[in-house]
Amino acid sequence: MYEGPVQDLVEELGRLPGVGPKSAQRLAFHLLTVDSADAERLAASILAVKERVRFCVRCCNVSEFDECRVCRDPRRDPRVLCVVEEPRDVVALERTGEFRGRYHVLGGAISPIDGVGPDDLNIKPLLARLADEDVAEVVLATNPNVEGEATASYLGRLLKTLGVRVSRIASGLPVGGDLEYADEVTLGRAFAGRREV
Amino acid sequence: MYEGPVQDLVEELGRLPGVGPKSAQRLAFHLLTVDSADAERLAASILAVKERVRFCVRCCNVSEFDECRVCRDPRRDPRVLCVVEEPRDVVALERTGEFRGRYHVLGGAISPIDGVGPDDLNIKPLLARLADEDVAEVVLATNPNVEGEATASYLGRLLKTLGVRVSRIASGLPVGGDLEYADEVTLGRAFAGRREV
């Protein structure tokens, strides 16, 4: 046990996900030795994120303003909507440079084990957007795992009744991958999703 | 890239040791979702550690006051001094409950590769203590690695000239360990350090 402030910091850092007691200790001593200015910048950015970050009123992504950067951008195609689980998925897709439409962030995936049902996700705002905006296609880009697939199939059924085109991102072998080491499900998907060359 | 405050926080967290870009992102989104009170407590404890923590004037350990908790404690034996590299080593030794003397924290170990020489460590304050205080034995508890051993042998030679008894913590097999899997150096040390039963 350390004295007062050091112990407090170790405990606070230990609450962060993936930070065990040893890491918390190492981080605390790192912060003890860095310049005060660096530590203050970190503390200020933690506070800033709580004060200044909110959710985009349109797509539920994290945003500094009422609408996020993508929704504010007039060059983005409002007719294609990409549905993702988390804000970090938006960043991952933006990095590909492949998509010029807008996003909708669900804030998670359907997971009965964790007690997350459709009502806990931003599905109502999505339906409201589809009623208001002139959307031609919805791309379901939830993760290709159990929860993400369940969410995609739930949304697929729901949205098709609204007469909008619904698509799902492709599953298959990762680029640079190796047939030999691929699991059966991935390989099966890659086979089923084959395209004429 | 995220918007303003989120990106700032990801970058600040990414500066911490052992926190890569992905971890920084995960931590930032965790902080975005926790209660404001939790985030404020973390920010406050970072600032508190910079404002309120200093080094014990006697043993150079981290401390909330002029003297650290161990040095303030009148029940500790001032005649035995345990020399360690870092404040976290004090915590590790305190957890054993074996040692009732006081500590001296070097603030590192001699490491020519990292440009750390004897003058960069708290060795002058140690010599001052040995001149002022009535110390009978110094236990060298630096780490049993190259830097720690070099530091211990340097201090051993230096302190013996002062007529104080100097000892080194034992190296050997860890309790619960297995002869078969021990490296040769450790096993050699365990053999050389054998004690009559």
Side-chain angles (χ1 to χ4, degrees), chain A:
Chain A
M1 293 287 285
Y2 295 95
E3 286 190 49
V6 184
Q7 186 64 27
D8 291 346
L9 181 57
V10 169
E11 278 168 19
E12 289 300 331
L13 289 168
R15 278 180 222 278
L16 298 174
V19 179
K22 288 277 172 193
S23 309
Q25 199 171 299
R26 200 185 60 221
L27 291 174
F29 276 99
H30 170 81
L31 288 170
L32 255 174
T33 52
V34 297
D35 285 352
S36 279
D38 286 341
E40 278 158 23
R41 258 208 326 277
L42 173 60
S45 61
I46 292 170
L47 296 175
V49 99
K50 298 306 286 184
E51 272 164 29
R52 286 167 45 203
V53 174
R54 40 192 151 162
F55 293 99
C56 173
V57 292
R58 190 185 293 270
C59 76
C60 311
N61 192 6
V62 289
S63 172
E64 199 176 348
F65 305 100
D66 277 349
E67 288 203 342
C68 75
R69 200 155 44 186
V70 174
C71 289
R72 285 199 311 271
D73 189 343
R75 292 165 304 174
R76 307 292 297 224
D77 182 359
R79 294 177 49 83
V80 191
L81 222 59
C82 179
V83 176
V84 296
E85 293 179 19
E86 300 288 351
R88 56 177 168 263
D89 301 330
V90 172
V91 174
L93 282 163
E94 284 297 284
R95 264 200 297 263
T96 68
E98 287 285 327
F99 182 62
R100 297 303 303 161
R102 287 174 173 173
Y103 294 95
H104 191 83
V105 179
L106 294 175
I110 295 173
S111 171
I113 279 182
D114 302 316
V116 180
D119 294 341
D120 301 311
L121 305 176
N122 298 320
I123 292 177
K124 280 214 183 81
L126 173 63
L127 297 178
R129 285 182 77 178
L130 292 176
D132 286 352
E133 299 173 23
D134 183 20
V135 176
E137 181 179 355
V138 175
V139 183
L140 299 173
T142 53
N143 288 325
N145 54 23
V146 177
E147 293 82 11
E149 293 288 358
T151 312
S153 85
Y154 174 86
L155 284 177
R157 266 176 287 137
L158 187 69
L159 300 185
K160 264 189 193 156
T161 61
L162 305 176
V164 65
R165 203 164 83 205
V166 184
S167 61
R168 177 89 176 102
I169 52 163
S171 270
L173 291 183
V175 176
D178 207 321
L179 241 76
E180 189 181 356
Y181 299 116
D183 63 285
E184 302 86 333
V185 184
T186 300
L187 198 52
R189 291 271 184 95
F191 206 78
R194 68 190 180 280
R195 286 158 62 163
E196 211 166 320
V197 288

Side-chain angles (χ1 to χ4, degrees), chain B:
Chain B
M1 294 284 288
Y2 295 94
E3 285 188 51
V6 183
Q7 186 63 27
D8 291 347
L9 181 58
V10 170
E11 279 168 19
E12 289 301 331
L13 290 168
R15 279 180 219 277
L16 297 173
V19 179
K22 288 277 172 193
S23 310
Q25 197 171 301
R26 199 185 60 221
L27 291 174
F29 276 99
H30 171 80
L31 288 170
L32 255 174
T33 51
V34 296
D35 285 351
S36 278
D38 287 341
E40 278 158 23
R41 258 207 328 277
L42 173 60
S45 61
I46 292 170
L47 296 175
V49 99
K50 298 306 287 187
E51 271 163 29
R52 285 167 45 202
V53 175
R54 40 192 152 168
F55 293 98
C56 172
V57 292
R58 189 186 294 270
C59 76
C60 310
N61 192 4
V62 289
S63 172
E64 199 175 348
F65 306 101
D66 277 349
E67 289 203 341
C68 75
R69 198 155 46 188
V70 174
C71 289
R72 286 199 310 270
D73 187 344
R75 291 164 305 174
R76 307 293 295 223
D77 183 359
R79 295 175 48 79
V80 191
L81 220 59
C82 179
V83 176
V84 294
E85 295 180 18
E86 302 287 351
R88 54 175 169 262
D89 301 330
V90 172
V91 175
L93 282 162
E94 284 297 285
R95 263 200 299 260
T96 69
E98 286 286 326
F99 182 62
R100 297 302 304 161
R102 286 174 174 175
Y103 293 96
H104 191 82
V105 179
L106 294 175
I110 295 173
S111 172
I113 278 184
D114 302 316
V116 181
D119 294 342
D120 302 309
L121 305 177
N122 299 320
I123 292 177
K124 280 213 183 84
L126 174 63
L127 297 177
R129 286 183 76 177
L130 293 175
D132 286 353
E133 300 172 23
D134 183 21
V135 176
E137 181 180 357
V138 174
V139 183
L140 300 173
T142 53
N143 288 325
N145 54 22
V146 177
E147 293 81 13
E149 293 289 359
T151 310
S153 86
Y154 174 87
L155 284 177
R157 267 176 287 138
L158 188 70
L159 300 184
K160 263 187 194 158
T161 61
L162 305 176
V164 65
R165 203 166 82 206
V166 184
S167 61
R168 175 90 177 102
I169 53 163
S171 270
L173 292 184
V175 176
D178 206 321
L179 243 76
E180 189 182 356
Y181 300 116
D183 63 286
E184 303 88 331
V185 183
T186 301
L187 197 53
R189 291 270 185 93
F191 205 80
R194 66 191 179 280
R195 285 158 62 163
E196 210 164 322
V197 287

